[in-house]
Amino acid sequence: MKQYLLSIYQPDDTPPPDNLDEIMRDLYALNDEIRAAGAWVFAAGLHAPSTATVLHAKGDDVLVTDGPYVESKEHIGGFTVIQAADLDEALDWGKRMAAVLTLPIEVRPVADH
């Protein structure tokens, strides 16, 4: 089976929704379904982009920059890695996640090693 990254796009500087407890309950239930289906690989939430450190190689030096590399109005707030038979199956899980979180989900195949 191929692996897919489901990236959760979260708006910057937006307070959590009033129904965050309900959303998280539904997300945990979806994660349990993904596990039960044998598609679960790994998932994690991320701290705010302000906690990021970017390392950029410049010749023999490495430039260290605080914060996100890209200026944007949204950031990756978390991700899930799943196994799926094909893109259609991965998109089905991504659609369900988008419905639960009410946030955009990017589905991208993980490159084969």
Side-chain angles (χ1 to χ4, degrees), residues 5-10 43-46 75-80 97 105:
L5 174 69
L6 309 180
S7 301
I8 303 164
Y9 287 118
Q10 186 169 339
L46 301 172
H75 61 275
I76 302 296
F79 62 90
T80 299
M97 186 174 288
I105 305 296

Side-chain angles (χ1 to χ4, degrees), residues 32-53:
D32 287 342
E33 270 190 71
I34 295 170
R35 283 185 190 94
W40 181 267
V41 176
F42 178 74
L46 301 172
H47 287 281
S50 60
T51 65
T53 302

Side-chain angles (χ1 to χ4, degrees), residues 14 24-25 29 32 38-39 51 60 63 68 75-76 86 93 102 108:
T14 301
M24 295 309 295
R25 183 196 68 225
D32 287 342
T51 65
D60 291 337
L63 177 64
H75 61 275
I76 302 296
D86 55 28
W93 287 119
T102 66
R108 188 185 302 189

